[in-house]
Amino acid sequence: MAVAEFIPSSSLTKSTSLYPSQFLHVSTHKPRLSPTPLRRSKICCSVISNEVQAPVPVAKEPTKKTECFGVFCLTYDLKAEEETSSWKKLINVSVSGAAGMIANHLLFKLASGEVFGPDQPVALKLLGSERSIQALEGVAMELEDSLFPLLREVSIGIDPYEVFQDAEWALLIGAKPRGPGMERAGLLDINGQIFAEQGKALNAVASRNVKVIVVGNPCNTNALICLKNAPDIPAKNFHALTRLDENRAKCQLALKAGVFYDKVSNMTIWGNHSTTQVPDFLNAKINGFPVKDVIRDSKWLEEEFTEKIQKRGGVLIQKWGRSSAASTAVSVVDAMRSLVTPTPEGDWFSTGVYTNGNPYGIAEDIVFSMPCRSKGDGDYELVKDVLMDDYLRSRIKKSEDELLAEKRCVAHLTGEGIGICDLPGDTMLPGEM
């Protein structure tokens, strides 16, 4: 059992309420605005007064673990047990927006071994806000009750400098949604500030080879802001999630061709995760044949298919009453597995990555969705053997122009001067109405 510093029940606040037989460790530190040494937090134990022992002095360490929860505060030796002795080293996964709907689906997939495999123990570090701290406790309780053998640590907190400590994967989901009357420039600024701060925190305390997947919108430019504020982490380690768009495109092509969607391959989403995104039917294949050889309706491909993918999120909101959560979580899992599993021969996947050195002539220094392959080591390479025609180039250029305009709008958050917003029209994110 971890060493505990007892706090009398009279001093407990609502946000640190205790439950029978639980060992709770919750951070309610306010996020810092710049890297500072980590503060030692308190651990609360649900024990009666006559069971309390004198506190044991604990040395302050800048690399102290973040707050654990319940059974996850127990100490153990995986190598000492026959069942777990062959497991890999524990992997640290930090998740922001961890009390939200997307995370509520995603965390259980991460804990089950669906992403990293049946021999990879996982530590989940959950980042929330002061308003969501009780909800985070609820999430941790559900994870505890699910008895996942691979889930060996759960910690919760509101300070990214603690929650991102030693993170090997950072899944940045939390972001402010676009409200009524909010201009896109306003959304870029508000969320950009969040991702600038999280980039600084990652740079200060995360693993030097941390893989970052930005889900919170506008995810391409948020990813750019994040990587610009984390200069000690390789820029190519940052991803903007466009896998849900790829999955939606595969589904629509399969429906049109009358096949199951596992027959669709080489699907690329180019550009921004907005209504300027480009679902690429020129390079995609169905049963190994070019899509245009299988679906000969060029008008459908250029108009109806493209628009369906661009606006699918908005249609879902009309039907469902809220934005996608479960399918987004699935696409995050798909994106992660594409990086930790070798890409099938001849295939590729879509992800928004840093454009420096790209072979397509796309402007450098933005985050742009492009086709990638991986050897399964967490890294990737851009696919060079892709076809381009005038239609595809013109659509890619429109999304590129939008991202360049967004970059100028957030220059004050990337260290490149004063932000000047000259966005080419108010294009929506998929799902905005």
Side-chain angles (χ1 to χ4, degrees), residues 253-321:
L253 289 175
L255 283 170
K256 184 68 172 178
V259 301
F260 201 61
Y261 40 72
D262 63 350
K263 304 300 182 185
V264 182
S265 64
N266 303 87
M267 185 68 228
T268 306
I269 300 295
W270 296 91
N272 198 5
H273 179 65
S274 76
T275 49
T276 68
Q277 66 175 263
V278 187
D280 178 2
F281 54 82
L282 178 64
N283 288 283
K285 296 179 181 179
I286 298 175
N287 277 320
F289 296 99
V291 162
K292 294 182 75 173
D293 289 351
V294 178
I295 301 173
R296 298 183 179 275
D297 187 345
S298 295
K299 181 177 175 62
W300 181 87
L301 287 170
E302 293 181 4
E303 297 177 10
E304 187 176 341
F305 165 68
T306 298
E307 186 173 338
K308 263 189 177 180
I309 309 312
Q310 292 172 337
K311 298 184 177 180
R312 178 79 166 180
V315 174
L316 189 143
I317 287 177
Q318 289 180 327
K319 302 286 187 183
W320 190 219

Side-chain angles (χ1 to χ4, degrees), residues 52-102:
V52 178
Q53 298 178 355
V56 178
V58 180
K60 293 184 179 181
E61 296 180 20
T63 58
K64 181 182 179 296
K65 292 182 179 179
T66 50
E67 287 67 1
C68 55
F69 188 95
V71 70
F72 304 111
C73 291
L74 299 172
T75 58
Y76 47 82
D77 181 4
L78 294 177
K79 296 301 180 183
E81 301 178 32
E82 182 178 352
E83 182 182 355
T84 61
S85 60
S86 63
W87 283 5
K88 299 173 182 175
K89 181 183 176 183
L90 189 74
I91 191 168
N92 294 308
V93 181
S94 296
V95 183
S96 76
M101 289 296 295
I102 295 171

Side-chain angles (χ1 to χ4, degrees), residues 124-264:
L124 291 178
K125 302 183 174 189
L126 312 183
L127 179 65
S129 64
E130 289 182 315
R131 291 197 317 170
S132 69
I133 192 68
Q134 282 196 317
L136 276 184
E137 291 179 23
V139 171
M141 288 171 66
E142 283 210 87
L143 288 166
E144 189 177 36
D145 293 345
S146 297
L147 304 180
F148 291 114
L150 292 166
L151 183 58
R152 292 293 167 147
E153 291 182 15
V154 171
S155 56
I156 61 180
I158 65 172
D159 185 344
Y161 286 90
E162 292 184 353
V163 176
F164 293 165
Q165 182 74 50
D166 300 323
E168 293 159 274
W169 287 83
L171 311 178
L172 307 184
I173 301 172
K176 182 179 176 62
R178 185 174 181 179
M182 182 184 291
E183 295 291 334
R184 186 174 175 87
L187 184 69
L188 282 164
D189 182 63
I190 291 171
N191 281 334
Q193 293 179 48
I194 294 172
F195 286 89
E197 182 62 22
Q198 291 184 356
K200 293 172 185 174
L202 288 167
N203 197 62
V205 300
S207 163
R208 296 302 81 184
N209 197 35
V210 62
K211 304 298 187 292
V212 183
I213 297 181
V214 176
V215 182
N217 284 318
C219 63
N220 291 62
T221 298
N222 286 343
L224 179 69
I225 293 168
C226 197
L227 74 86
K228 289 289 188 177
N229 284 276
D232 297 332
I233 297 170
K236 71 175 304 186
N237 287 19
F238 290 79
H239 299 256
L241 184 73
T242 57
R243 187 55 171 266
L244 179 56
D245 304 309
E246 176 187 327
N247 290 351
R248 288 168 170 170
K250 285 182 174 179
C251 180
Q252 294 305 311
L253 289 175
L255 283 170
K256 184 68 172 178
V259 301
F260 201 61
Y261 40 72
D262 63 350
K263 304 300 182 185
V264 182

Side-chain angles (χ1 to χ4, degrees), residues 95-127:
V95 183
S96 76
M101 289 296 295
I102 295 171
N104 197 40
H105 293 279
L106 175 61
L107 295 174
F108 296 85
K109 292 179 174 293
L110 293 168
S112 71
E114 188 172 334
V115 176
F116 299 111
D119 60 348
Q120 177 62 73
V122 175
L124 291 178
K125 302 183 174 189
L126 312 183
L127 179 65

Side-chain angles (χ1 to χ4, degrees), residues 324-403:
S324 58
S327 58
T328 301
V330 169
S331 71
V332 175
V333 169
D334 290 342
M336 296 176 74
R337 291 180 62 182
S338 289
L339 293 169
V340 299
T341 307
T343 306
E345 184 68 28
D347 203 358
W348 58 69
F349 58 90
S350 302
T351 183
V353 292
Y354 198 47
T355 52
N356 281 15
N358 79 87
Y360 317 114
I362 295 167
E364 298 205 336
D365 204 34
I366 55 177
V367 171
F368 201 90
S369 185
M370 299 179 284
C372 298
R373 292 191 180 106
S374 177
K375 296 177 181 178
D377 56 359
D379 203 354
Y380 65 89
E381 62 181 12
L382 295 175
V383 177
K384 296 181 176 62
D385 49 337
V386 295
L387 301 174
M388 286 278 182
D389 62 10
D390 291 341
Y391 172 87
L392 186 56
R393 284 193 188 91
S394 66
R395 293 301 183 99
I396 288 175
K397 184 66 167 63
K398 183 177 180 181
S399 202
E400 176 189 306
D401 289 344
E402 181 180 61
L403 282 169

